[in-house]
Amino acid sequence: TTAKSKNRKMSAPTQLNMSDGPSKLKGKVLMISGCKDEQTSGDVGNVGAFGLPADVGPGGAGGACTNAMMATFYKNDDTPDIPECDMTWAQLLVEMRTSLEEKKFSQVPQLSASYQMHLSTKFHVKPPQAQRTKALLIGINYVGHNVGVLSGCHNDVRVMKQFIKSQGFTEGDRMKIMMDDGSSEMPTRANIEAAMKWLVSDVRSGDALFIHYSGHGSQVKDVSGDEKSGFDQTMVPVDYQKTGQIVDDWIFETLVQPLPEGANMFCVMDCCHSGSIMDLPFEIVVTPELAAQVATAEANGSLDQMVLEENPSFLAKYKKHKGVMMKIAGAAAAGAMVGTVGGPVGMCMGCLAGITAVACCYKDEAKELGKDVHRDVQASRVV
């Protein structure tokens, strides 16, 4: 299968046409995925091979992506329980790739974003200007399944929870943990989808959101024609055999599109076929060539000229439905604004009224958009 993520050379920053593409997304979303779309991601039997301090998580099994990231942060023997996060995104990506290569993993980490970020940008889970935090962590070992049982996903969640707490995230009603461990909320399809909606339900400018998924990732045939590879990427819930999988189109529409200006989201997807599992418009794969370019750029002070490249599959999808999507977004916002006089209920009713008006006035375009969404949802139920 030809993957939609390609190893491309970095380029100098370019001026984007603000009326013609992904710059219409308002929130800032960054995602690190454990591998490219066509690759599988490793489940490590003994994470001790990554050299993590004993204080970092429960030990035992874990995902290669999560533990390569933690090995990058926890490498100071003088302060073994304090992560060292003062680095650029470029440094994080290259060090993760190096860590995976040293442990003989062939998977290649990938960075995707909702905007054309410079690789010289400082890494932050919670940006300095962020105010409220909210987090969703999902780990699925597929306990009791006849096939596909994993061993490290629960440990990944525990490690990641400890890490984000060190970065300013707090437990309580703004942190949700989902695991098939018998005591946490079960990561069924319905529960995961509800949790994703919960994550963005009250988002506002200044918020820092976080999502971590450790489990199986898969692919289903793309029947809407918007994926260059011919496949949609999916998350695999614990009850996938009965309810199907969660496709990237739905994840994008649920988590990415609703974010307002000034909201930030960081995602870690430790699963197979995860390179574009959030369908973000910009991406970069950590190839050996990229690592060499980063080293050269750091040496000559030109790292700020390296940026993420456009994801061609996102552009094809966006342009196909751009007109009606812009109309829906504008009408929904206008309706919500008018409905503010009626409080939260009025805002919801105003938003729905705006969407309904567009659907009635532009029936053909709205019908085509609906068909694509319906086909993707139906495809996700094919196991």
Side-chain angles (χ1 to χ4, degrees), residues 24 43 55 91 98 139 154 161 174 189 201 236-237 242 249 253 273 275 302 306 308 322 330 333 336-338 347 383:
K24 283 291 180 180
D43 188 43
D55 292 337
Q91 291 170 323
T98 300
H154 298 168
K161 175 185 173 182
R174 295 188 67 79
R189 178 174 181 169
S201 61
V236 182
K242 293 182 179 179
D249 292 352
E253 292 166 4
H273 311 294
S302 61
M306 299 181 71
L308 274 67
K322 179 182 69 173
M337 186 174 295
V338 172
M347 291 179 66
V383 179

Side-chain angles (χ1 to χ4, degrees), residues 63-83:
C65 171
T66 298
N67 283 277
M69 179 180 288
M70 294 302 103
T72 300
F73 296 140
Y74 292 95
K75 57 186 178 182
N76 190 330
D77 292 337
D78 295 330
T79 55
D81 58 340
I82 300 176

Side-chain angles (χ1 to χ4, degrees), residues 220-252:
V220 295
K221 186 177 180 181
D222 167 40
V223 293
S224 61
D226 56 34
E227 301 282 356
K228 189 175 181 180
S229 66
F231 292 91
D232 280 312
Q233 322 314 316
T234 65
M235 294 172 64
V236 182
V238 71
D239 61 343
Y240 71 95
Q241 293 170 324
K242 293 182 179 179
T243 63
Q245 304 169 39
I246 303 173
V247 295
D248 52 9
D249 292 352
W250 187 91
I251 296 171
F252 172 81

Side-chain angles (χ1 to χ4, degrees), residues 107-141:
Q107 65 192 76
V108 181
Q110 180 170 322
L111 174 65
S112 304
S114 62
Y115 62 107
Q116 199 168 37
M117 185 189 75
H118 291 253
L119 288 181
S120 60
T121 302
K122 285 288 187 180
F123 169 82
H124 291 290
V125 179
K126 177 187 176 185
Q129 72 278 12
Q131 299 162 13
R132 302 187 306 169
T133 63
K134 200 172 187 181
L136 171 62
L137 299 95
I138 306 167
I140 312 177
N141 278 346

Side-chain angles (χ1 to χ4, degrees), residues 36 76 78 100 124 181 183 186 249 305 324 341 343 350 360 369:
K36 297 186 290 184
N76 190 330
D78 295 330
L100 289 166
H124 291 290
D181 61 352
S183 58
M186 278 292 283
D249 292 352
Q305 295 182 4
V324 70
V341 295
C360 292
L369 175 60

